[in-house]
Amino acid sequence: MEKTKPFPKSVLISESQIRERIQELGKQISKDYENQELVLVCVLRGATLFFADLAREISLPLRFEFLQTSSYHNSTESSKEIQFIRTGSDYVKHRHVLIVEDIIDTGRTLKFLVEHLGSLNPKSIKICALLDKPSRREVFVPVDYSGFEIPNVFVVGYGLDHGQLYRNLPYIAVLETISID
Ligand code: IMP
Ligand code: MG
């Protein structure tokens, strides 16, 4: 029988497209939060590269916070149970909060995060997601800043993984099945 493996074959969003879009998002966010105190919340691990690049395009004195949830368990299908692995929330109270996430798929992770952070008395909560798969949405979550809308394909790179691999690719690629002999 032919052997196959998942492999990031075709580039969906290039390095330069990512860079340009993040510059635009940074400008917009800087304008919208002018003269305000903003906490940028990184959702580990997928959002790390996006978070680091976006933060440097925002011309405001930011605070950083890091949260981690788990739901995926090595597969390409989202499980419906979401748990916290790390909850850091010291800085959120009475401040504007912007959640920075790699991708919004069913919407369950972001809904969970908004509910959690909302219970900590922030001044406001908004969402910035690099990628959005609108066709997969199961629960409604308002995405205030969105990098790119993508079709229903599984993507890796620029922070996103498959079985923890490929996060370091500098672009976003579609995971495809290739044959190995
Ligand atoms: P949601 O809770 O279904 O919206 O899923 C959000 C999480 O699922 C993201 O933070 C990612 O970690 C993961 N995810 C969803 N789609 C993809 C994908 O295409 N590639 C890699 N991870 C994904
Ligand atoms: Mg994630």
Side-chain angles (χ1 to χ4, degrees):
M1 214 177 80
E2 193 192 28
K3 277 194 180 162
T4 61
K5 69 166 184 178
F7 189 78
K9 221 172 128 194
S10 52
V11 176
L12 185 68
I13 307 169
S14 71
E15 257 185 282
S16 60
Q17 285 174 301
I18 295 172
R19 199 179 318 117
E20 277 169 35
R21 187 70 187 111
I22 291 179
Q23 284 169 356
E24 291 171 0
L25 289 170
K27 279 204 185 84
Q28 187 64 50
I29 292 165
S30 307
K31 203 169 130 220
D32 294 352
Y33 290 94
E34 208 179 341
N35 299 323
Q36 319 235 42
E37 292 208 21
L38 179 61
V39 184
L40 212 58
V41 175
C42 177
V43 186
L44 296 169
R45 302 180 177 93
T48 46
L49 300 193
F50 177 41
F51 180 87
D53 287 341
L54 179 67
R56 284 176 286 186
E57 296 295 336
I58 299 175
S59 53
L60 302 167
L62 298 173
R63 286 184 170 82
F64 286 179
E65 190 54 275
F66 297 87
L67 302 180
Q68 187 169 11
T69 60
S70 89
S71 74
Y72 248 65
H73 314 297
N74 267 1
S75 80
T76 53
E77 268 309 301
S78 180
S79 91
K80 296 193 176 164
E81 282 295 310
I82 296 162
Q83 293 172 340
F84 268 117
I85 294 173
R86 181 197 151 92
T87 54
S89 37
D90 295 354
Y91 301 140
V92 168
K93 204 173 173 182
H94 305 321
R95 296 202 171 105
H96 295 290
V97 171
L98 182 60
I99 304 174
V100 179
E101 176 61 307
D102 52 0
I103 187 165
I104 176 162
D105 187 33
T106 64
R108 289 181 192 281
T109 304
L110 277 167
K111 184 169 183 275
F112 175 81
L113 288 172
V114 167
E115 279 168 10
H116 166 72
L117 290 169
S119 72
L120 303 171
N121 275 323
K123 243 187 212 162
S124 71
I125 304 181
K126 282 190 180 179
I127 292 171
C128 178
L130 178 67
L131 306 175
D132 185 356
K133 285 185 197 172
S135 64
R136 293 261 307 165
R137 201 76 84 252
E138 289 173 17
V139 294
F140 174 76
V141 195
V143 184
D144 304 279
Y145 305 97
S146 161
F148 303 91
E149 281 197 4
I150 63 167
N152 183 15
V153 288
F154 197 83
V155 289
V156 294
Y158 198 68
L160 293 113
D161 74 305
H162 178 252
Q164 299 303 332
L165 290 176
Y166 306 121
R167 292 191 195 274
N168 58 314
L169 293 175
Y171 47 81
I172 308 276
V174 180
L175 199 74
E176 291 165 62
T177 304
I178 59 157
S179 46
I180 39 169
D181 310 297

